[in-house]
Amino acid sequence: MTLLLQYTLIFSSVLLLVALGGCFAEHSGVINLGLEGIMVIGALGGALVMRYLPAGLPAIVVVFATMGGALLLGMIYSSLLGVACINFKADQTIVGTALNMLGTAGATLLVKAINTAANPDDVSSVIQYIEPKKAFLVNIGGFEFNWFMLVAIVALVIAYVVLYKTKFGLRLMACGEHPQAADSVGINVYRMRWAGVLISGVYGGLGGICYILAGVSEWKFENGVAGFGFLALAVMIFGQWKPTRIALAALLFGLFRALSNVYSGFPFLYNLNIPSNVYNMMPYIVSLIVLAFTSKNSRAPKAEGIPYDKGQR
Amino acid sequence: MKNILKKPAVQSLIASLICIILGLLIGYIVLLFINPDGAGEAILAVVKNFFNSSRANLRLKNFGNTLVKTAPLLMCSLSILFAYKVGLFNIGAAGQYMAGICGSLYAALAWGWGWLPCMLFAIVCGAVLGAIVGLLKAYCNVNEVISGIMLNWISLYTGNMILTKVKEGTSPYTLSVSGHASKALIPSLGMENLFANNKYVSIAIPITVVVAIVIMIVLNKTKFGYELKATGNNKNAAKYAGMAENRNIVLTLIIAGGLAGFGAATLYLTGFEQWQVTATAVPAMGFNGIAAAFLGGLHPIGAIFSSYFIQHITNGGAYVDLTKYSSQISDLISSIIIYLCGFVLFIKYAMNKTIAKREEKQAQKEKLASEAGKGGDGK
C-alpha cells in the first residue's frame, strides 16, 4: 500500500509539473505540444549534472544542481518553440511534434556519443545515477519521500499565485484570451508569449528529471518519456487550465499510472490475471474517456494556437 | 513574361529544398559539436545510403530495401496529408499503423488468410482507430492530437497483447510470415528480378504510388474532395453551405486511418520485418510520415518524393561509422527538417515579398525610362 501511495505521489508530481508548464504556455496563447521533447531534454540536463557531479557533495547541493541543470536545458530547448511559433508564426502543431522527435533523437545521439567516448564498446544510450539519486530520497518508515513531491507542491503554489494574484499573470492570460485587446492597452504580446513558453520549458524540464528519477536509477534515453508529456496535456485539459483542478487531475492520473507499476503487489489484482499490457493502457484509456466527457464545455484560452499578427484585427 | 518563381508548386519545391539543405547543414553542425572528426563523412554516408555498398548487385538490393520501406512511409504521409487538408492533424497515424500491423499479422499467422484479405483487414483495423478519433472530434470536441496520441499507446499495448499469441516460442518476435503463412505474402510478379532478386520487393510498391495518385484525384477533382477541403478551410462556412461537417470529419479520419493501416500491410506482408511484442515505443513510421507529408509540400505527388527521401536518409543511418556516432543521426536530421517545415509559410512569404519588391522596382524603372523617353521626344 505504501508503495502504491509512493508511486502515485511521484507520478502525480511529474504530471503536475508538466501540466502546469503546459498551462502557462496555453494561457499565453501558445499550444506547447513539444512538452514531451522538453521533458527528455530536461531529463538529459539533470542526468548529465548527476553524472559529472563529484561524489561526496552534500545532498542539498546535488538536488539543487540537478534541478538547475534540468530547468535550464528545458528552458533553452523551449526557446526553439518560441522562435518558430511567436516570431515566425509557424504552425504550433508541427513545431511541437518536431521538438518531440528532436528531443529523443538528439538526447540519444549525445548520450551514445558520451558513452562511446568513455568506453568504445559501450554503444548504449543509458546514463546511470545510482549514487546521486539517493540525495533525492528520504526514507520515512518504509515510505520513500522524494524531494520532487515538495517541489511539485511549491510549483503549484507559485503557479497559482503568479497566474491569479500578480499583474504579470493576469496580463499573460489576457494574451491567450484576446491578444489584440491586450496589445491595445500596451501589453507586449510577443514578450508575454515568450514568457509563457519559457516558463513552460522550466516546468517541463523539471518534470522530465522528476520522471526519470521516479522509479529507476538509470535511464535509457532511446525510450524518451513514453507519452508522459501528452498525458500531462490531458491532465491540463481535464483540469480546465486551472492550477488547483490540474493538481486533482494529476493525482487521479498518477494513481492509474502507479497501478500499472505495482498491481502485482496486490493479491486481489494479481489474481484477476489481467495482462500487464492492460494496466499499461489504463492511464491512456481513462484520459480518453475523461476527455470525451469534459471537452464539450472546454474552457480553453480563446486565442491559443493562433499566431499573433499585429496587423490583424 | 510570367515569373516562374510565382507558381505555388515551384515555391513549395524551393521551400522543401531549402528545408533539406538547412536540415543537413544543421545536422552537420550538431555532429561537429558531438565529435568533430568524421562529421562530414557521417553526413555523406547518410545521404549516400545504398551507394555506400561496393558491389552493384548489393547496391541494387539495398535500393530495393529502401523502396520496400518507402511504401509504408508514403502511406503514412498520405494519411497525415489527407487529414491535414481537412484541417485535422492526424498524429494518430502511428497508432493506426500499429493497428494495421496487428491486423495483418494476426490474420496471416492465426487465421491463415491470403494476402488480399489480410491487407483489407489491416485497412479496416486502421480505419476503426481513425473512426474513434473522428467521432470523438466531431461529437465530443476532443482535440484530435491528444486523442490520437492516447490511441497510439492504447493500440501499441493492445497490439502487443494480441500478437503475443502468434509469437515464436522463445524470442519476443512474431512468427515469420514467409515461414508460416506464405499465402499471405504479397506477390511480386517478377519485380524481384529488377532488384537483384530482392524477395521483399513486391507489387505493394507500385500500388502505393497508384494510391497517391488516387488521393490526388479525390482531393482535387471530386465533389467529395472539394467538400472536405471546404470543411478544413472554414468549418462554419461549410456547414452554412449545407455540407455535413461532422460526417466529413469522421469520414476523413476513417480514410486517413485506412491509409495508415494499409501502409503497415505493405511492409509486414512482405516478411521484411517481424514485430517485437515487447516493444515499448510506438512505431516511428507514423511520425516520419509527418516529416514526409510536410516536406512534400502537402501534395500527394510531392509526398512520393519526400517519402523516398526521408526513407533514403533513414536507411542511410545504418552506414554511419558506429564507433563515432549512432544511427539516430537520420532521426535527428528528419526531425530538424520537420522543425524547418514549420517555417515554410515564412519562406514563401519572404519569396513573394522579394518578388513583389523586385517587380515594383522594375516597374518604376520602366516608368522612369518611358518618361525620360518622352522628355527626349520634345527636344
Side-chain angles (χ1 to χ4, degrees):
Chain A
M1 204 64 204
T2 31
L3 205 59
L4 180 65
L5 185 69
Q6 180 188 319
Y7 273 102
T8 304
L9 286 181
I10 193 69
F11 283 130
S12 304
S13 306
V14 178
L15 288 172
L16 178 58
L17 282 169
V18 183
L20 287 174
C23 180
F24 268 101
E26 299 220 349
H27 272 307
S28 78
V30 180
I31 297 182
N32 189 350
L33 275 183
L35 278 171
E36 181 109 352
I38 292 173
M39 280 177 79
V40 174
I41 296 294
L44 176 72
L48 285 179
V49 168
M50 286 193 283
R51 185 190 158 111
Y52 288 114
L53 225 49
L57 284 174
I60 185 123
V61 178
V62 177
V63 170
F64 276 102
T66 307
M67 275 171 44
L71 66 86
L72 198 68
L73 236 64
M75 191 167 85
I76 295 171
Y77 193 62
S78 70
S79 64
L80 284 176
L81 180 78
V83 174
C85 297
I86 302 169
N87 300 96
F88 286 95
K89 303 180 177 59
D91 186 311
Q92 299 173 3
T93 323
I94 306 171
V95 174
T97 310
L99 287 190
N100 291 338
M101 294 172 67
L102 191 62
T104 313
T108 311
L109 198 65
L110 190 70
V111 174
K112 277 191 176 175
I114 290 171
N115 282 346
T116 323
N119 172 10
D121 295 329
D122 185 2
V123 289
S124 70
S125 60
V126 176
I127 291 186
Q128 280 192 348
Y129 38 83
I130 303 168
E131 274 308 310
K133 192 195 168 193
K134 288 178 184 153
F136 288 87
L137 304 174
V138 182
N139 204 324
I140 310 169
F143 174 79
E144 264 187 356
F145 175 77
N146 190 319
W147 282 114
F148 272 111
M149 296 169 191
L150 187 69
V151 171
I153 294 170
V154 172
L156 171 67
V157 174
I158 293 177
Y160 182 82
V161 172
V162 167
L163 275 180
Y164 294 111
K165 306 289 175 197
T166 67
K167 211 156 71 178
F168 167 78
L170 293 170
R171 288 183 170 175
L172 185 92
M173 291 203 283
C175 294
E177 294 293 334
H178 201 310
Q180 283 81 5
D183 201 356
S184 75
V185 291
I187 299 170
N188 186 336
V189 176
Y190 296 117
R191 197 179 292 166
M192 280 297 161
R193 289 198 166 177
W194 262 105
V197 167
L198 291 181
I199 295 173
S200 83
V202 168
Y203 274 77
L206 278 178
I209 185 67
C210 178
Y211 177 66
I212 69 164
L213 277 169
V216 287
S217 44
E218 59 170 38
W219 191 254
K220 193 176 172 194
F221 278 87
E222 258 172 288
N223 287 344
V225 292
F228 245 69
F230 289 102
L231 217 50
L233 282 177
V235 166
M236 180 193 70
I237 295 172
F238 186 37
Q240 294 288 299
W241 290 266
K242 292 189 182 91
T244 39
R245 285 210 201 173
I246 288 176
L248 294 176
L251 273 178
L252 177 74
F253 278 65
L255 172 68
F256 279 102
R257 182 63 184 74
L259 265 182
S260 71
N261 268 42
V262 298
Y263 75 95
S264 54
F266 293 92
F268 72 96
L269 285 178
Y270 189 73
N271 289 338
L272 287 177
N273 216 359
I274 299 168
S276 66
N277 276 321
V278 173
Y279 287 99
N280 285 333
M281 267 187 265
M282 277 303 231
Y284 307 103
I285 294 177
V286 171
S287 68
L288 255 194
I289 295 171
V290 162
L291 287 176
F293 284 107
T294 53
S295 295
K296 202 87 194 178
N297 314 310
S298 164
R299 291 274 302 114
K302 292 235 163 49
E304 68 167 16
I306 308 160
Y308 177 58
D309 187 346
K310 255 187 169 187
Q312 249 170 17
R313 53 189 75 238
Chain B
M1 194 185 79
K2 232 184 168 183
N3 197 334
I4 190 169
L5 283 173
K6 262 184 169 170
K7 285 188 180 160
V10 177
Q11 284 189 349
S12 298
L13 186 67
I14 292 176
S16 299
L17 289 178
I18 291 176
C19 286
I20 290 175
I21 293 166
L22 276 181
L24 290 173
L25 197 70
I26 297 173
Y28 174 68
I29 294 169
V30 171
L31 291 192
L32 277 184
F33 273 107
I34 289 176
N35 187 349
D37 51 273
E41 284 142 53
I43 291 283
L44 237 104
V46 169
V47 174
K48 272 162 77 180
N49 182 10
F50 54 83
F51 290 111
N52 286 305
S53 316
S54 46
R55 286 201 324 254
N57 233 7
L58 207 60
R59 233 176 283 159
L60 213 54
K61 206 159 200 165
N62 288 334
F63 178 47
N65 284 347
T66 309
L67 284 181
V68 167
K69 288 197 86 173
T70 303
L73 182 60
L74 173 58
M75 285 302 104
C76 286
S77 81
L78 285 177
S79 163
I80 285 147
L81 174 158
F82 190 75
Y84 199 80
K85 290 279 180 197
V86 195
L88 299 163
F89 193 71
N90 185 23
I91 204 169
Q96 292 146 12
Y97 181 78
M98 180 67 219
I101 296 174
C102 177
S104 58
L105 284 182
Y106 196 76
L109 295 168
W111 299 331
W113 288 7
W115 67 275
L116 196 58
C118 281
M119 200 178 250
L120 293 175
F121 188 61
I123 295 174
V124 170
C125 289
V128 167
L129 220 61
I132 299 175
V133 177
L135 290 169
L136 284 172
K137 170 80 181 178
Y139 297 102
C140 300
N141 193 26
V142 179
N143 185 317
E144 78 278 5
V145 176
I146 306 286
S147 61
I149 292 282
M150 297 298 144
L151 280 168
N152 282 350
W153 292 97
I154 295 172
S155 93
L156 171 72
Y157 291 122
T158 315
N160 279 346
M161 208 156 63
I162 294 173
L163 290 179
T164 306
K165 292 182 183 138
V166 290
K167 82 178 183 72
E168 288 169 345
T170 47
S171 83
Y173 289 95
T174 53
L175 296 167
S176 86
V177 176
S178 35
H180 293 81
S182 48
K183 258 201 311 187
L185 288 176
I186 302 172
S188 90
L189 299 183
M191 277 190 60
E192 59 191 47
N193 301 328
L194 297 175
F195 294 93
N197 280 328
N198 185 337
K199 63 180 174 163
Y200 303 117
V201 177
S202 67
I203 54 167
I205 296 163
I207 291 176
T208 53
V209 174
V210 172
V211 172
I213 295 168
V214 169
I215 292 288
M216 182 181 73
I217 293 171
V218 167
L219 276 174
N220 295 335
K221 304 281 176 207
T222 65
K223 185 178 148 224
F224 177 61
Y226 181 81
E227 275 200 19
L228 290 186
K229 283 196 288 187
T231 313
N233 282 336
N234 190 335
K235 193 175 153 182
N236 294 328
K239 191 178 174 186
Y240 182 72
M243 300 169 188
E245 95 282 17
N246 279 348
R247 193 205 60 180
N248 284 349
I249 286 173
V250 178
L251 265 183
T252 305
L253 281 161
I254 286 177
I255 294 173
L259 285 170
F262 175 66
T266 62
L267 180 62
Y268 282 84
L269 294 179
T270 59
F272 187 77
E273 261 178 33
Q274 292 156 281
W275 179 255
Q276 188 189 350
V277 298
T278 50
T280 52
V282 181
M285 198 61 87
F287 298 113
N288 283 339
I290 301 171
F294 285 98
L295 191 61
L298 291 168
H299 191 280
I301 304 301
I304 298 175
F305 294 103
S306 60
S307 302
Y308 177 75
F309 175 77
I310 297 278
Q311 195 52 50
H312 184 87
I313 61 169
T314 306
N315 274 27
Y319 294 99
V320 170
D321 183 357
L322 286 179
T323 58
K324 288 181 184 135
Y325 308 102
S326 52
S327 53
Q328 265 82 7
I329 289 179
S330 24
D331 289 351
L332 182 86
I333 294 173
S334 43
S335 55
I336 294 173
I337 290 176
I338 310 186
Y339 180 73
L340 292 171
C341 282
F343 293 83
V344 162
L345 265 181
F346 176 78
I347 296 174
K348 283 187 184 170
Y349 169 77
M351 255 193 279
N352 280 330
K353 214 172 163 185
T354 5
I355 293 169
K357 242 187 202 162
R358 200 175 292 160
E359 277 181 355
E360 204 176 330
K361 255 189 194 160
Q362 191 80 29
Q364 225 158 23
K365 241 189 216 162
E366 275 167 19
K367 207 172 149 194
L368 277 177
S370 70
E371 271 171 12
K374 264 179 208 159
D377 274 348
K379 88 174 160 180

